[in-house]
Amino acid sequence: MYLTKEVKAEIFKKHGGSESNTGSTEGQIALFTHRINHLTGHLKKNHKDYNTERSLVALVGKRRSLLDYLKKKDIEKYRSLIKELGIRK
């Protein structure tokens, strides 16, 4: 499995403040980005996997709405997060 407990805890520790702060906007965006990158790699090998493609589009939409919320709430955190994660806007 690509997303183990340890990887998830590390993502939330780095972006969410602590391992137990799984509800933070920054941590959720970082987790979605990790999952999006994994699914993108999968779809490069399996281009006819339409179910995965559909779930990838849904994940991108969720991440986009969280990014919009963060942008409205705190623009400096938004700018630093997209720079750190390498998200283009």
Side-chain angles (χ1 to χ4, degrees), residues 4-63:
T4 61
K5 267 184 169 180
E6 293 80 21
V7 172
K8 200 173 191 179
E10 180 185 327
I11 288 172
F12 280 113
K13 187 175 183 182
K14 185 175 180 185
H15 297 284
S18 72
E19 295 176 10
S20 61
N21 191 6
T22 58
S24 70
T25 308
E26 296 90 352
Q28 296 260 326
I29 292 170
L31 181 66
F32 285 162
T33 302
H34 180 76
R35 290 175 61 194
I36 287 168
N37 291 337
H38 179 264
L39 289 178
T40 303
H42 171 78
L43 283 173
K44 285 182 181 177
K45 297 177 201 164
N46 307 295
H47 65 279
K48 289 190 177 184
D49 190 355
Y50 300 116
N51 290 328
T52 303
E53 186 177 349
R54 184 172 186 268
S55 64
L56 175 66
V57 170
L59 264 179
V60 170
K62 283 182 186 181
R63 183 179 71 177

